[in-house]
């Protein structure tokens, strides 16, 4: 009995996701269908990649509100590079570097400036949204060549390319957080900063790196979104930080840091994606969708809290 | 003579956690106006039993009677209503609140709809004063030292007009002077007919203030006795199930070259011009009252604090130490006196806590942590230090206080330090394991390592050190060789009298 209970608790996010799938497929037969499922996965991928980066930050006890703006600016810059040179490789590399730099900016101010991550990244979110408007002059950058739109739209062996990218990002992130020294330090830092520092760990450096990771993840999403749509909108990614945080929390990671998992985050992102898709298939109006999503998040966190007791 | 009726009677109490049977069929009684000591090794189940009594945990089996009447205690509020008050082993004050806010937490005084702060501050002032505690009630709790926090916690518990007060290792963070204060408080409570349940690993305290003892071993009830007529040896054998030879085993080693030299270090206005030398194969004890700057000196050497001036030499070479990371690289280990705040990572497992300072050692070529190697070391030290845990993967927060301390000691031993600075090493550790730790210090000594032991436990300082430094208000006021040391000389220097 106890065994069963602990298994249920361990896999609760996954059980929640499966239950959700079952309910939706009972209500609408259009859900369980290869094309639709691949479609869901593609839609989930953008949020999933951002949420993986976000997990690193949240595990240290921080938060990154600037990911949506990083997505927009890196998307715009990569689009501009494509328009100028059609050099896909350069566009991706530059996007990632910019994402890392903005993350580094957040990280330095959080660790050295000792300012709360919420405030730092809130400011960064506003600043880089503004930078994106200035850079794009407020208009979308479009007509990006086939070479570039391939990333967001092609399929390899029947699997959408963004899904493959997400899978690769997940595997790398999973390995680092679970198998390496750095990963252990991330959990330690989130659990108790003083103890971690006194254990001889450069906590400022760990903090700095997690924001860089989050920035890179947002940049990867920026490239995916831009190439999928074939155009970089200065409004792209706004509100995405909230979806990412929701995915992390649904995955069972504690906002106070120190406990949670990347696998949980992926499942959390899928729950949000499946819910969106299901509500769309059921023709629920977007107004109500928002309400339902909010309620699901609350419910999930409440259940989590009860189990921990 | 008819025996007095116990105010509290816990009978056949059992409690299990996943994978551990913490208590089985345990009995405990307490009497008004008396102190009942609750004794046992680390992990024997003392805190668990008290958490059941104070409503933190629910018992699996057994009954609780108060004043002869059977009661149900389902939560903390129930316990409070029954007149039970507890001082927890782990500090539970809120660091971001002031002393008075902590004292009145949950029992705030209201003036209409809003808090009557003036009244609360005034009452707190009186309360603190009645306990000879001269700190402003408006001080933020996090600015207090561990010992001061403990005093606030004690004052909070006894100010509630409880009939039964539980004290779970109240003196671990206190210095002698404060411990004396606490004993006065206990006398006062006894005269007011309060029943006290007192948990401690310090034998001399038991004989000084307790009337009866109850002993637990491995979650089982061993017996209840009067303190009068029991010997220390009998007590220890009840606790550990065997006889314990010599509490402070000693070995003579050849004192070698200088391993650490501290020259004129100062820090803010707290540490003034501290210089000393530590040699290979030596245990240097640092004594002093709370707040005398001992911990600060340790943290300055280790790199947690930045020196205002002065230098540190390791094996004759000048060392640049600006962070704990540098400190560890130079071969220094620092075990903090405050394990919860500066030692443990509660959300991680026993194994993860133990290897944290030393993870590099377990990395393989692809930068992956070799779990099996970690496990090997963890198991070895679990055995060596007699750590009681259901598994290496158990969360450290589920270990008993003394066992947590042992994990932290293991963590620093794993870094194989040249200089081992230990701040109150045996706080909350049972008699058997204490000896184990002294033996480990002796082993390090024999290997030619240098050890600095900061301790407020006079017996320990006298029993273990080869040489003793005494600090007072940020200065070293005395240095004593082992054979000339005694309590009087140490106290003399500790209060600032120099010759
Ligand atoms: N929440 C918990 N989950 C799992 N095991 C627990 C939990 N709390 C206590 N234990 C286990 O129960 C046993 C008794 O622990 P307890 O804290 O009561 O010991 P103690 O006698 O107070 O020891 P100490 O002197 O070290 O404080 C230990 O083996 C401990 O690991
Ligand atoms: Mg205990």
């Amino acid at each position: 009995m106890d065994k069963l209970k602990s298994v249920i608790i361990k896999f609760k996010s996954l059980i929640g996701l499966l239950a959700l799938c079952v309910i939706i497929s009972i209500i609408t037969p259009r859900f369980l269908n290869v094309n639709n499922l691949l479609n869901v996965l593609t839609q989930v991928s953008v949020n999933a990649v951002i949420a993986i980066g976000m997990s690193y930050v949240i595990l240290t006890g921080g938060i990154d509100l600037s990911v949506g703006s990083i997505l927009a600016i890196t998307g715009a810059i990569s689009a501009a590079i494509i328009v100028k040179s059609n050099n896909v490789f350069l566009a991706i590399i530059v996007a990632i570097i910019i994402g890392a730099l903005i993350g580094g900016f957040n990280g330095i101010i959080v660790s050295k400036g000792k300012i709360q991550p919420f405030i730092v990244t809130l400011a960064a979110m506003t600043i880089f949204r503004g930078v994106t408007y200035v850079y794009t002059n407020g208009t979308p950058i479009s007509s990006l060549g086939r070479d570039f739109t391939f990333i967001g739209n092609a399929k390899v062996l029947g699997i959408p390319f963004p899904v493959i990218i997400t899978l690769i990002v997940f595997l790398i992130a999973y390995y680092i957080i679970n198998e390496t020294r750095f990963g252990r330090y991330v959990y330690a830092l989130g659990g108790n900063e003083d103890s971690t520092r006194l254990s001889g760990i450069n906590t400022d450096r760990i903090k700095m790196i997690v924001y860089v990771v989050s920035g890179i993840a947002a940049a990867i999403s920026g490239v995916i979104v831009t190439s999928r749509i074939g155009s970089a909108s200065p409004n792209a990614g706004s509100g995405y930080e909230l979806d990412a945080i929701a995915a992390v929390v649904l995955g069972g990671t504690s906002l106070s840091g120190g406990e949670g998992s990347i696998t949980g985050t992926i499942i959390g992102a899928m729950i949000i994606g499946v819910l969106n898709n299901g509500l769309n298939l059921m023709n629920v109006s977007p107004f109500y969708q928002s309400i339902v999503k909010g309620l699901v998040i609350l419910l999930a966190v409440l259940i989590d809290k009860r189990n921990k007791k | 003579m008819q025996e007095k009726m116990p105010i509290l009677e816990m009978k056949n109490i059992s409690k299990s956690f996943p994978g551990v049977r913490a208590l089985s069929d345990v009995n405990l009684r307490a009497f008004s106006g008396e102190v009942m000591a609750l004794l046992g090794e680390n992990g024997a189940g003392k805190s668990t039993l008290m958490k059941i009594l104070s409503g933190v945990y629910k018992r699996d089996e057994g009954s609780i009677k108060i004043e002869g009447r059977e009661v149900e205690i389902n939560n903390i509020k129930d316990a409070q209503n029954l007149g039970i008050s507890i001082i927890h082993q782990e500090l539970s004050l809120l660091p971001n609140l002031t002393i008075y806010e902590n004292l009145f937490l949950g029992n705030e005084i209201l003036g209409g709809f809003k808090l009557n702060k003036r009244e609360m501050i005034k009452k707190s002032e009186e309360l603190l004063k009645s306990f000879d505690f001269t700190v402003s009630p408006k001080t933020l709790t996090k600015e207090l030292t561990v010992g001061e926090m403990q005093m606030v916690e004690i004052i909070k518990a006894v100010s509630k007009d409880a009939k039964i007060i539980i004290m779970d290792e109240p003196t671990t963070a206190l210095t002698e002077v404060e411990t004396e204060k606490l004993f006065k408080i206990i006398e006062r409570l006894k005269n007011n007919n309060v029943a006290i349940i007192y948990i401690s690993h310090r034998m001399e305290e038991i004989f000084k203030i307790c009337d009866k003892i109850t002993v637990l071993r491995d979650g089982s009830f061993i017996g209840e006795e009067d303190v009068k007529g029991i010997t220390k040896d009998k007590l220890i054998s009840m606790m550990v199930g065997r006889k314990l030879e010599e509490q402070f085993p000693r070995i003579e080693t050849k004192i070698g070259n200088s391993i650490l030299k501290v020259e004129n270090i100062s820090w803010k206005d707290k540490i003034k011009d501290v210089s000393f030398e530590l040699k290979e194969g030596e245990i240097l004890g640092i004594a002093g009252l709370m707040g005398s700057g001992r911990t600060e000196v340790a943290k300055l050497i280790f790199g947690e604090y930045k020196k205002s001036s002065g230098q540190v030499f390791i094996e004759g070479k000048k060392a640049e130490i600006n962070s704990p990371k540098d400190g560890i690289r130079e071969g220094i280990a620092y075990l903090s006196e405050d394990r919860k705040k500066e030692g443990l990572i509660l959300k991680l497992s026993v194994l993860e806590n133990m290897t944290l300072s030393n993870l590099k050692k377990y990395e393989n070529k692809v930068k992956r942590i070799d779990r099996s190697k970690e496990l090997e070391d963890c198991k070895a030290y679990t055995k060596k230090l007699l750590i009681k845990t259901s598994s290496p993967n158990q969360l450290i927060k589920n270990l008993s206080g003394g066992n947590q301390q042992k994990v932290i000691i293991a963590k620093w031993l794993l870094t194989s330090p040249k200089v081992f600075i230990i701040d109150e090493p045996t706080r909350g550790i049972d008699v058997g394991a204490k000896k184990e730790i002294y033996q480990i210090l002796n082993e390090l000594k024999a290997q030619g390592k240098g050890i600095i032991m900061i301790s407020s436990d006079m017996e320990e300082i006298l029993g273990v050190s080869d040489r003793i430094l005494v600090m007072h208000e940020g200065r070293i006021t005395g240095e004593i060789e082992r054979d000339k040391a005694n309590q009087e000389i140490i106290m003399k220097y500790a209060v600032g009298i120099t010759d």
Side-chain angles (χ1 to χ4, degrees):
Chain A
M1 200 47 222
D2 262 7
K3 256 249 164 74
L4 183 71
K5 206 171 154 196
S6 74
V7 168
I8 290 177
I9 289 176
K10 193 163 173 206
F11 294 104
K12 58 184 181 287
S13 313
L14 189 60
I15 293 170
L17 174 63
L18 293 178
L20 191 63
C21 290
V22 170
I23 295 170
I24 292 172
S25 51
I26 291 171
I27 299 177
T28 155
R30 283 185 297 164
F31 178 73
L32 266 190
N33 148 330
V34 176
N35 272 334
N36 183 54
L37 289 180
L38 285 179
N39 187 18
V40 172
L41 287 179
T42 315
Q43 278 164 0
V44 164
S45 60
V46 171
N47 185 26
V49 171
I50 298 176
I52 288 170
M54 183 73 80
S55 303
Y56 273 58
V57 176
I58 290 182
L59 281 172
T60 64
I63 193 122
D64 188 352
L65 299 177
S66 67
V67 287
S69 300
I70 296 179
L71 182 149
I73 184 73
T74 53
I77 289 174
S78 60
I81 292 174
I82 294 298
V83 170
K84 265 228 172 78
S85 67
N86 203 27
N87 186 336
V88 176
F89 181 71
L90 187 71
I92 294 173
I93 290 297
V94 171
I96 287 177
I97 290 174
I98 300 282
L101 286 176
I102 299 176
F105 167 83
N106 286 332
I108 283 187
I109 298 183
V110 168
S111 62
K112 298 290 176 198
K114 310 223 180 300
I115 300 177
Q116 282 170 349
F118 189 95
I119 295 167
V120 174
T121 59
L122 181 68
M125 164 173 145
T126 318
I127 293 169
F128 290 101
R129 182 63 64 188
V131 171
T132 314
Y133 283 127
V134 172
Y135 184 75
T136 59
N137 238 331
T139 50
I141 304 174
S142 37
S143 49
L144 311 171
R146 269 285 186 78
D147 293 348
F148 186 66
T149 53
F150 170 89
I151 303 171
N153 298 293
K155 285 186 178 171
V156 178
L157 301 172
I159 302 170
F161 204 55
V163 177
I164 295 175
I165 295 175
T166 308
L167 194 66
I168 294 170
V169 170
F170 167 71
L171 290 175
I172 295 172
Y174 180 90
Y175 183 83
I176 291 174
I177 207 80
N178 287 309
E179 304 291 335
T180 70
R181 198 147 56 96
F182 172 76
R184 192 73 65 80
Y185 293 168
V186 166
Y187 281 98
L189 173 59
N192 184 341
E193 182 167 352
D194 286 336
S195 293
T196 307
R197 191 184 53 253
L198 283 161
S199 297
I201 292 149
N202 187 341
T203 44
D204 282 352
R205 199 168 137 247
I206 308 293
K207 272 193 206 167
M208 164 95 191
I209 297 175
V210 293
Y211 287 94
V212 170
V213 168
S214 178
I216 292 175
I220 294 173
S221 285
V223 172
I224 297 177
V225 168
T226 311
S227 77
R228 216 174 124 65
I229 305 172
S231 145
S233 153
N235 290 319
S238 62
Y240 280 26
E241 61 283 344
L242 298 180
D243 269 349
I245 294 168
V248 174
V249 171
L250 280 175
T253 295
S254 140
L255 277 183
S256 60
E259 53 192 339
S261 73
I262 298 280
T263 323
T265 296
I266 285 285
I267 294 170
M270 302 248 269
I271 291 176
I272 294 174
V274 167
L275 198 60
N276 276 337
N277 179 262
L279 294 171
N280 273 334
L281 292 180
M282 289 182 244
N283 291 323
V284 177
S285 107
F287 302 160
Y288 284 100
Q289 286 195 16
S290 183
I291 297 175
V292 173
K293 248 165 64 183
L295 288 175
V296 167
I297 292 170
L298 262 186
L299 188 73
V301 177
L302 276 175
I303 294 173
D304 197 31
K305 189 106 191 171
R306 278 190 79 89
N307 282 333
K308 276 198 183 117
K309 255 202 162 163
Chain B
M1 195 181 88
Q2 172 94 39
E3 209 195 21
K4 215 159 97 176
M5 165 154 140
I7 180 167
L8 168 78
E9 197 166 11
M10 299 178 83
K11 257 207 150 106
N12 302 327
I13 303 284
S14 297
K15 172 82 191 166
S16 294
F17 297 107
V20 207
R21 189 162 171 86
L23 294 172
S24 50
D25 275 336
V26 169
N27 303 329
L28 175 72
R29 307 192 296 168
F31 300 86
S32 294
E34 287 190 10
V35 182
M36 170 66 82
L38 181 56
L39 305 174
E41 288 177 292
N42 296 131
K46 306 178 295 293
S47 296
T48 305
L49 186 64
M50 291 303 97
K51 283 180 183 163
I52 287 173
L53 182 57
S54 58
V56 178
Y57 294 147
K58 230 177 125 33
R59 64 185 190 279
D60 297 341
E61 280 159 57
S63 67
I64 304 174
K65 276 189 191 160
I66 288 186
E67 291 171 328
R69 210 162 42 84
E70 188 134 338
V71 295
E72 272 305 318
I73 301 176
N74 291 319
N75 51 48
I76 299 172
K77 205 83 211 162
D78 285 354
Q80 280 174 358
N81 292 339
L82 288 165
I84 299 166
S85 176
I86 181 166
I87 302 162
H88 280 289
Q89 184 170 9
E90 304 298 343
L91 297 173
S92 57
L93 298 176
L94 300 174
N96 288 323
L97 297 186
T98 60
I99 295 181
Y100 83 85
E101 284 167 325
N102 267 302
L103 286 175
F104 282 97
L105 195 69
N107 300 303
E108 288 81 0
I109 301 175
L110 297 178
F113 280 115
K114 70 187 221 324
L115 294 173
N116 188 344
K117 288 191 187 164
R118 283 249 306 270
E119 187 64 22
M120 287 195 280
I121 294 172
K122 207 176 118 231
K123 285 219 163 140
S124 302
E125 229 154 31
E126 286 164 11
L127 202 56
L128 296 179
K129 216 155 134 211
S130 73
F131 290 102
D132 286 340
F133 193 52
T134 49
V135 181
S136 159
K138 285 184 274 186
T139 317
L140 280 183
T141 310
K142 67 176 169 201
E143 284 161 11
L144 302 176
T145 64
V146 201
E148 288 168 337
M149 284 190 206
Q150 185 66 292
M151 284 308 279
V152 174
E153 193 113 18
I154 291 167
I155 293 171
K156 182 176 172 184
V158 302
S159 69
K160 278 185 186 157
D161 281 332
K163 283 186 285 188
I164 301 169
I165 296 182
I166 304 161
M167 302 187 176
D168 195 348
E169 301 194 36
T171 55
T172 39
L174 301 185
T175 50
E176 307 248 322
V177 179
E178 286 169 324
T179 304
E180 282 309 318
K181 271 192 208 170
L182 173 67
F183 290 171
K184 286 213 189 87
I185 296 174
I186 290 178
E187 274 311 317
R188 212 161 86 187
L189 292 169
K190 273 170 79 167
N191 291 334
N192 290 340
N193 228 15
V194 173
I196 295 168
I197 302 172
Y198 190 88
I199 302 180
S200 175
H201 290 293
R202 295 192 180 158
M203 289 301 135
E204 67 283 3
E205 294 179 355
I206 307 304
F207 289 98
K208 202 158 171 187
I209 57 160
C210 299
D211 302 289
K212 293 195 173 70
I213 56 150
T214 294
V215 177
L216 305 185
R217 193 195 310 148
D218 283 332
S220 302
F221 176 77
I222 300 297
E224 188 198 281
E225 304 271 345
D226 277 324
V227 167
K228 254 180 267 146
I230 199 166
T231 62
K232 191 170 164 182
D233 284 344
K234 166 92 192 294
L235 229 177
I236 290 175
S237 74
M238 276 176 88
M239 281 168 60
V240 300
R242 64 194 141 90
K243 270 188 79 161
L244 215 57
E245 314 288 316
E246 178 70 285
Q247 177 70 59
F248 299 105
R250 232 193 106 68
I251 54 163
E252 290 303 329
T253 49
K254 221 180 83 233
I255 305 283
N257 298 325
S258 164
I259 192 162
L260 169 78
K261 195 167 156 206
V262 173
E263 244 179 41
N264 307 100
I265 56 171
S266 298
W267 180 63
K268 296 187 181 167
D269 58 347
K270 298 250 174 61
I271 299 301
K272 295 156 202 147
D273 222 12
V274 166
S275 303
F276 64 87
E277 196 166 12
L278 173 73
K279 301 233 164 86
E280 291 170 346
E282 184 184 39
I283 299 181
L284 177 64
I286 304 186
L289 300 180
M290 191 180 68
S292 58
R294 297 171 299 169
T295 295
E296 286 78 4
V297 167
K299 287 187 171 175
L300 283 164
I301 297 171
F302 188 54
E304 167 72 350
Y305 294 161
K306 291 191 182 36
K307 300 178 276 292
S308 312
S309 62
Q311 288 164 343
V312 171
F313 296 86
I314 303 277
E315 291 177 327
K317 280 196 293 286
K318 190 169 179 256
E320 282 302 330
I321 302 174
N322 295 311
S323 67
K325 191 174 176 175
D326 295 346
I328 292 177
R329 198 196 48 231
E330 293 287 348
I332 305 173
Y334 168 65
L335 184 130
S336 166
E337 63 178 328
D338 186 348
R339 65 168 168 261
K340 194 168 178 192
K341 200 162 148 273
E342 301 184 337
L344 301 169
I345 295 173
L346 291 173
K347 290 172 177 176
L348 294 186
S349 67
V350 169
L351 176 137
E352 287 164 332
N353 271 283
M354 210 188 269
T355 57
L356 189 63
S357 285
N358 210 26
L359 267 188
K360 211 168 190 160
K361 177 181 154 195
Y362 307 102
E363 255 180 355
N364 66 13
K365 276 177 241 107
V366 288
K367 297 270 171 199
R368 180 177 182 166
I369 299 174
D370 185 339
R371 288 253 166 79
S372 58
K373 260 185 22 207
E374 262 186 307
L375 199 61
E376 222 170 82
D377 279 354
C378 180
K379 281 192 172 146
Y381 274 92
T382 303
K383 206 164 145 207
K384 190 162 178 178
L385 296 182
L386 311 171
I387 298 171
K388 217 182 142 199
T389 173
S390 57
S391 120
N393 298 319
Q394 175 69 268
L395 290 182
I396 198 158
K397 69 169 177 216
N398 291 337
L399 261 58
S400 77
N403 283 302
Q404 292 175 343
Q405 179 76 356
K406 293 186 204 169
V407 174
I408 303 296
I409 291 176
K411 159 172 143 181
W412 288 111
L413 290 172
L414 275 169
T415 65
S416 338
K418 279 188 268 196
V419 175
F420 197 1
I421 309 175
I422 43 180
D423 202 346
E424 308 289 356
T426 58
R427 226 172 225 182
I429 293 218
D430 69 53
V431 271
K434 250 184 202 167
K435 188 174 162 187
E436 220 61 46
I437 286 165
Y438 300 141
Q439 256 154 1
I440 287 169
L441 294 184
N442 280 341
E443 269 172 45
L444 291 174
K445 190 168 128 173
Q447 290 163 17
K449 306 279 167 63
I451 294 146
I452 297 176
M453 184 183 77
I454 300 171
S455 176
S456 304
D457 181 336
M458 201 52 96
E459 273 189 45
E460 179 170 276
I461 280 276
L462 290 169
V464 179
S465 320
D466 293 304
R467 189 158 55 98
I468 299 164
L469 296 178
V470 187
M471 287 191 69
H472 171 75
E473 292 188 346
R475 288 178 206 282
I476 292 178
T477 45
E479 178 177 344
I480 317 158
E481 288 302 324
R482 173 182 178 78
D483 42 8
K484 303 200 182 65
N486 63 46
Q487 184 153 353
E488 286 70 45
I489 302 181
I490 292 178
M491 281 318 283
K492 196 183 87 186
Y493 288 139
V495 295
I497 305 169
T498 45
D499 10 46

